[in-house]
Amino acid sequence: MRRWIVAVSLLILFSCLLISDADASEMGFDDAIYGYETHGSGHPDYYCVITSVTSNEAILHLPSVLEGYDVRSYSDGAFDGCSSSTLIVPKNLRAIEDGAFSGCESLKNIYFMGDRPVMGDVVPKDVVIHTMPSTTGWTNTEIIEMVTSNGIDYALLPDGAAVIGGKPTDGIISIRNEVNGNKVVRIDDYAFSGTMMDDGNVKRRSDIKSVVTNDGLQIIGKRAFYYNDLTEIRISDSVKEIQDEAFRACYNLNGVSFSDNVNHIGFETFRDCHSIMELTIPKTVRYVGDGAFYICDSLESLNVDTNISPRMFGYCTSLRELILGDSVNDIGHSAFYQCESLESVRIPEKVKDIGKEAFRDCVSLKKTDLKNVENIGRMAFRGCESLRVMSIPSTVSMIEGYAFADCISLRSIDAYGMAPKGDDTVFLNVDAVIHCKGDAVDSWESSEFGLEVVGDLDGSGNAIVSLAIVGMVALSILIVIVLIMQKKGKA
């Protein structure tokens, strides 16, 4: 997934001249692929325009946000690669360009969840438009049936009922299994979120304390509880997907657990959840988006058995206990950036690459086991100032710039193979001795690392000097025993 962001001034959304800042793409949970252009120089000015949609899903729920960018428009030809027969358009869409749906030949129905966006006669004549009651700008459309039960609003959509909002009873949101014979399968985007203000700040929603989901719920939508003051939620075992930013900035959410059925946790899903203290992520989770638990700064204990995405646990400053399961085979960039309470980490055997800045400024880190790592990314351990000794396995072939720079306490490095590739910044501000096997001395001395090299490791990886010391101690003990026996004999 790629993004090149160039700062520009905020463009007027409804102008026909849409100048892109960046091109990117994202695969949705349903295997739909969205190409999009990003615009703006920073929050709240940035947004994106969907330029292409590739999907074979019969019923496709279009995203309201892609990796933190509000989706505001569909461009001309956006659905040329889409074979869906039904599209469900989120309520925050603002504009649709002419020709957006012209290439979607299988299209039969479009469900609009919000007010009419700025658009011309873009919907093909044989396509039925469905709209929500009380939305504005629409004429001659089919009205989507709604049900309100115990203060919760449900929309009856072609693939099941969706929770679209409502008010709690005594602070509790209780979601039904079905309404009017329709199974409740999703909590829709923004259903219980805070309110985005014109200045870019979010007015928090404070009337919800607890959420009880039903056993048939499958999806918790994007920003469903964004900036919400809820304290607890029971995620039912049937939930498969928790989408982007669903619980972002739920400061008081004090616990969350995932069943083995959850296989997708989206972009920044639990970012800034400051009250979560323990977390287990099972290996059944196939995808975790960037920054999923970013700045969960009360998290103390973590057991994770799936790939570690970029920024996944960055700034989790209270994290002390970390268990990485055997299913982990990737550690993304900045994954544990500034986890300043973390003291040790064991890298699983399947991990080959440690991303750039993955453990940067983990100032309490004293011990690391790199197992079968082949590449150590740029600044991966920079600033780990408590690290005193470490080992570089023979599998390591590349150490990128500044990887161990400013590890000011590092004094001893056991190197079990020939010197990997790397430059003179790798150990910047480090005064350590590299211990290696005799036949590897030349490679380490000719490297650019600039550290003292001693060929005192034997074939088993034990320092020869250590063996000598042990032998001397043993000999000294034997001499003492002999002297004692001689004295007893004289007596």
Side-chain angles (χ1 to χ4, degrees), residues 55-60 82-87 104-111 127:
S55 176
N56 296 318
E57 292 291 317
I59 301 171
L60 181 61
C82 181
S83 60
S84 299
S85 59
T86 299
L87 300 177
C104 193
E105 297 179 356
S106 301
L107 188 60
K108 301 298 181 185
N109 296 277
I110 302 179
Y111 288 72
V127 173

Side-chain angles (χ1 to χ4, degrees), residues 80-140:
D80 287 357
C82 181
S83 60
S84 299
S85 59
T86 299
L87 300 177
I88 300 175
V89 178
K91 60 185 178 182
N92 64 325
L93 190 74
R94 300 188 188 180
I96 303 176
E97 291 185 11
D98 292 343
F101 302 117
S102 60
C104 193
E105 297 179 356
S106 301
L107 188 60
K108 301 298 181 185
N109 296 277
I110 302 179
Y111 288 72
F112 287 93
M113 304 302 289
D115 296 336
R116 180 185 173 97
V118 174
M119 65 182 189
D121 190 17
V122 300
V123 179
K125 292 182 179 180
D126 58 345
V127 173
V128 179
I129 298 177
H130 306 257
T131 59
M132 293 290 292
S134 303
T135 54
T136 62
W138 301 105
T139 58
N140 301 321

